[in-house]
């Protein structure tokens, strides 16, 4: 099945470089904070997805002062994929749906200011489902300049691949290449700040060889790069000859990236009333249900929303 191949293709790509030079680090000296490395950092945390998604929308994409041409088309593809397969609360997914609807109607170009303002408006309308107080958990490095967003981004694409697998299983019209891998490829190639990572990923996609491991100049020594999943996480995934058992890998990936932990969310004001109904006072009052995390279909209700506006 094509969606099975999608998960297996992405398995070996689970080793992005763990350090990026952020703009903030160029402007000021960052204090080195040592983070204790524990087994919990091998879990799949919703907090990492929330934190990485906020950084992507508020920092990574707006690095380009003007988004047009191939960059605009790449962004439209990626927003469409996230709208369909990003796991999250209803509010998170509604934000992505509305943001995709907005960018799809941009015919020539948009500026970083227009993009940022739109994200901020949607955040306000929906009660800030991507709070600034979110921090990396499983994606924390042994020091504060290791891992973080690259790890969070890889967590996002793997979690999205699981949602796509579940939602599109049996759908003959679904194409893992066109609906997920290519949009992710285009986002990495056009927007990811790490040129080394983007170039490597681009070359491996073009050669359809996702089995090599990136060896960046600087990586977190506490989390050395290795083929994923390692024996320590899934011994049954490896055959005696040292090759992957693809059926076992697929089963592992479905369970590993489908089991999203919500550790730490209760410490964030937006999420501490999780599983409750409430009204959000904003430009538009909306009834919010905070009860699940997944790739919900918000299209029907959003279709009614679009007609009203």
């Amino acid at each position: 099945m094509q969606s099975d191949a999608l998960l297996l293709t992405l398995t070996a790509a689970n080793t992005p470089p763990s350090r990026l030079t952020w703009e903030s680090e160029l402007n000021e000296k960052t204090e080195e904070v040592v983070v204790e490395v524990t087994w919990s950092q091998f879990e799949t945390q919703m907090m990492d997805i929330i934190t990485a998604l906020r950084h992507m929308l508020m920092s990574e994409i707006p690095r380009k002062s003007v988004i047009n041409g191939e960059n605009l088309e790449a962004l439209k593809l990626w927003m469409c994929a996230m709208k369909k397969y990003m796991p999250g609360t209803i509010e998170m997914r509604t934000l992505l749906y509305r943001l995709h609807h907005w960018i799809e109607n941009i015919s020539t170009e948009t500026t970083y200011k227009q993009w940022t303002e739109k994200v901020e408006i949607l955040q306000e309308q929906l009660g800030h489902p991507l709070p600034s107080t979110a921090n990396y958990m499983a994606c924390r490095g042994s020091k504060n300049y290791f891992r973080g967003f690259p790890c969070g981004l890889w967590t996002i694409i793997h979690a999205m691949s699981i949602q796509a697998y579940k939602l599109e299983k049996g759908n003959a019209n679904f194409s893992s290449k066109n609906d997920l891998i290519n949009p992710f490829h285009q986002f990495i190639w056009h927007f990811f700040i790490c040129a080394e990572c983007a170039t490597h990923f681009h070359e491996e996609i073009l050669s359809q060889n996702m089995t090599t491991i990136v060896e960046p100049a600087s990586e977190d020594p506490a989390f050395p790069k290795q083929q994923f999943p390692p024996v320590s996480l899934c011994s049954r995934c490896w055959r005696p000859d040292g090759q992957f058992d693809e059926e076992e890998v697929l089963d592992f990936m479905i369970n590993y990236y489908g089991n999203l932990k919500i550790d730490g969310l209760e410490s964030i004001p937006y999420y501490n009333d999780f599983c409750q109904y409430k009204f959000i006072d904003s430009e538009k009052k909306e009834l919010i249900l905070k009860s699940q995390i997944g790739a919900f279909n918000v299209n029907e209700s959003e279709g009614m929303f679009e007609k009203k506006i």
Side-chain angles (χ1 to χ4, degrees), residues 200-220:
H200 174 85
F201 190 75
H202 178 67
E203 291 173 348
E204 296 306 315
I205 283 287
L206 293 181
S207 66
Q208 297 185 339
N209 173 25
M210 298 297 291
T211 60
T212 57
I213 296 178
V214 180
E215 292 293 347
S218 177
E219 65 174 51
D220 193 334

Side-chain angles (χ1 to χ4, degrees), residues 62-103:
R63 291 181 194 281
K64 296 187 181 298
S65 58
V66 177
I67 303 173
N68 56 18
E70 291 184 357
N71 291 330
L72 180 60
E73 293 308 309
L75 184 55
K76 288 180 178 181
L77 284 174
W78 180 230
M79 289 307 305
C80 182
M82 289 201 295
K83 177 197 77 170
K84 291 191 289 186
Y85 305 125
M86 175 72 75
T89 62
I90 292 176
E91 301 77 40
M92 281 178 60
R93 292 192 41 71
T94 300
L95 185 151
L96 292 173
Y97 185 96
R98 295 180 186 178
L99 192 54
H100 170 254
H101 179 264
W102 175 77
I103 198 68

Side-chain angles (χ1 to χ4, degrees), residues 35-76:
V35 179
E36 181 183 1
V37 178
T38 66
W39 186 254
S40 66
Q41 289 189 276
F42 291 95
E43 296 175 335
T44 307
Q45 293 283 353
M46 192 63 210
M47 183 80 87
D48 292 335
I49 291 177
I50 292 169
T51 306
L53 181 58
R54 177 184 171 83
H55 178 87
M56 179 198 303
L57 298 182
M58 299 298 291
S59 299
E60 200 77 358
I61 292 172
R63 291 181 194 281
K64 296 187 181 298
S65 58
V66 177
I67 303 173
N68 56 18
E70 291 184 357
N71 291 330
L72 180 60
E73 293 308 309
L75 184 55
K76 288 180 178 181

Side-chain angles (χ1 to χ4, degrees), residues 15 96 106 116 127 166 178 180 187 190 230 235 238 269 286 297:
T15 51
L96 292 173
I106 302 296
T116 302
K166 292 178 178 179
N178 295 333
L180 194 55
F187 172 77
H190 290 279
S235 58
W238 294 84
E286 303 181 28
N297 185 348

Side-chain angles (χ1 to χ4, degrees), residues 214-275:
V214 180
E215 292 293 347
S218 177
E219 65 174 51
D220 193 334
F223 294 88
K225 296 294 168 279
Q226 56 186 322
Q227 203 75 51
F228 190 88
V231 175
S232 58
L233 280 182
C234 183
S235 58
R236 70 181 188 278
C237 292
W238 294 84
R239 300 199 306 254
D241 62 1
Q243 300 300 310
F244 277 134
D245 183 319
E246 293 191 354
E247 289 187 4
E248 292 290 353
V249 170
L250 177 61
D251 183 66
F252 170 83
M253 295 286 281
I254 292 171
N255 287 286
Y256 185 79
Y257 286 104
N259 182 24
L260 295 173
K261 308 291 186 181
I262 58 172
D263 298 347
L265 289 184
E266 69 279 358
S267 66
I268 300 177
Y270 171 83
Y271 289 96
N272 62 15
D273 55 355
F274 203 67
C275 302

Side-chain angles (χ1 to χ4, degrees), residues 54-192:
R54 177 184 171 83
H55 178 87
M56 179 198 303
L57 298 182
M58 299 298 291
S59 299
E60 200 77 358
I61 292 172
R63 291 181 194 281
K64 296 187 181 298
S65 58
V66 177
I67 303 173
N68 56 18
E70 291 184 357
N71 291 330
L72 180 60
E73 293 308 309
L75 184 55
K76 288 180 178 181
L77 284 174
W78 180 230
M79 289 307 305
C80 182
M82 289 201 295
K83 177 197 77 170
K84 291 191 289 186
Y85 305 125
M86 175 72 75
T89 62
I90 292 176
E91 301 77 40
M92 281 178 60
R93 292 192 41 71
T94 300
L95 185 151
L96 292 173
Y97 185 96
R98 295 180 186 178
L99 192 54
H100 170 254
H101 179 264
W102 175 77
I103 198 68
E104 272 295 316
N105 285 282
I106 302 296
S107 58
T108 55
E109 67 179 34
T110 188
T111 66
Y112 78 94
K113 185 176 181 181
Q114 291 169 327
W115 169 270
T116 302
E117 286 178 348
K118 185 62 180 179
V119 174
E120 290 175 345
I121 288 172
L122 293 175
Q123 280 266 78
E124 181 67 24
Q125 288 178 350
L126 295 165
H128 295 275
L130 303 177
S132 59
T133 52
N135 292 296
Y136 293 110
M137 295 191 67
C139 281
R140 284 185 299 174
S142 60
K143 293 184 179 179
N144 63 349
Y145 49 74
F146 286 134
R147 305 183 82 224
F149 178 65
C151 170
L153 180 60
W154 242 249
T155 300
I156 282 175
I157 187 58
H158 281 81
M160 285 175 61
S161 70
I162 295 301
Q163 297 296 327
Y165 175 83
K166 292 178 178 179
L167 293 172
E168 305 292 2
K169 197 170 185 178
N171 180 5
N173 295 320
F174 172 71
S175 167
S176 58
K177 178 180 179 181
N178 295 333
D179 294 334
L180 194 55
I181 294 179
N182 186 53
F184 183 58
H185 171 210
Q186 293 302 316
F187 172 77
I188 292 292
W189 182 240
H190 290 279
F191 289 94
F192 199 23

